[in-house]
Amino acid sequence: MMRFLLLLLLPFTVSPQTDSLASLPKYDDLTIQNNNTDSLFNSSPFKLKAKQFIVPAALIGYGLLATDAKFFKNINLDVRNEIVANHPNFKTKIDDYTRIVPGAAVFALQAFGIKGESSVKKEAVVYAMSVGISTATVFSTKRLIRQERPDGSDRRSFPSGHATLAFASAEFLRREYWHVSPWIGVGGYAVATGTGILRLYNNKHWLGDVAAGAGVGILSTTLSYWLYDKIHIGGDDQRTISLFPGYSNRQFTVGFVKQF
């Protein structure tokens, strides 16, 4: 059954959203056309394509089926029972940290002088938006679905918040550093997949929870890039509209700032 788990998650580790890369200019082409490092920050507006929704929709769809359909619920149980039988005393908090590792890697690489696809300012806004969208989606869905966790601790199992943030971060890392090396994105997705597996081993989530969380995370980052280009118009010397998410007193907010 663990082989089924790896077959479900690892293909997206190797080639997540690869269709979107084909339409983007190569890094070498950009540096030839422009002789300064800011050339990377002047890319064309992000466009949504139907293909970009295939992987996250499949993952979210699988997770939803696993909350109700008997066949998929049995897979949840089989995976959980196998893990508990083989590792009854497994406990770790590493997944609390690995979920943010891919996102932190983006800013660490920038600090070491390895330029991403976007400016640091855009990266910060996009990542904040991705975290805001994914967190709001997860919290509202948990309250709506109210699925019990495998360990019976509460009814906030679906979807996995850890997996959501991990895969949102991994997609963020992949999009920013595809032009440097595709292996950077693969590494980010490997960490995200590991985070999801650790949630299963900690007996905190079902397989469907992790799959749905991965889909929500990938989709949140994709939508954040699109929203950024929709609401952030022009450069520093032009009219600019920016959006930022917020959280206060258990309520999520969205703020707008207009500059002239």
Side-chain angles (χ1 to χ4, degrees), residues 56-70 72-73 76 141 144-145 147 158-159 207-209 211-213 216:
L59 290 168
I60 294 170
Y62 175 87
L64 287 170
L65 285 172
T67 66
D68 189 55
K70 183 177 180 180
F72 295 101
K73 289 180 73 173
N76 274 350
T141 305
L144 177 65
I145 302 296
Q147 175 159 277
F158 181 89
L207 176 60
D209 303 339
V216 171

Side-chain angles (χ1 to χ4, degrees), residues 6 10 21 24 38 41 72 77 97 108 110-111 116 125 146 155 160 169 172 181 191 218:
L6 294 176
L10 288 181
L21 300 186
L24 294 172
D38 291 337
F41 309 146
F72 295 101
L77 286 169
Y97 305 100
Q110 286 277 19
V125 174
R146 292 186 55 80
R155 301 190 67 87
S160 168
S169 299
F172 175 54
S181 172
V191 172
I218 295 170

Side-chain angles (χ1 to χ4, degrees), residues 31-93:
T31 53
I32 291 172
Q33 295 170 10
N34 301 277
N35 293 324
N36 58 75
T37 56
D38 291 337
S39 63
L40 290 178
F41 309 146
N42 299 324
S43 56
S44 58
F46 183 87
K47 295 181 179 180
L48 287 178
K49 296 181 180 180
K51 291 181 179 180
Q52 295 171 336
F53 292 89
I54 294 176
V55 170
L59 290 168
I60 294 170
Y62 175 87
L64 287 170
L65 285 172
T67 66
D68 189 55
K70 183 177 180 180
F71 174 78
F72 295 101
K73 289 180 73 173
N74 286 338
I75 293 175
N76 274 350
L77 286 169
D78 289 343
V79 171
R80 181 252 186 168
N81 291 340
E82 181 179 336
I83 291 174
V84 171
N86 294 328
H87 306 276
N89 300 316
F90 184 89
K91 286 290 180 182
T92 183
K93 293 186 178 181

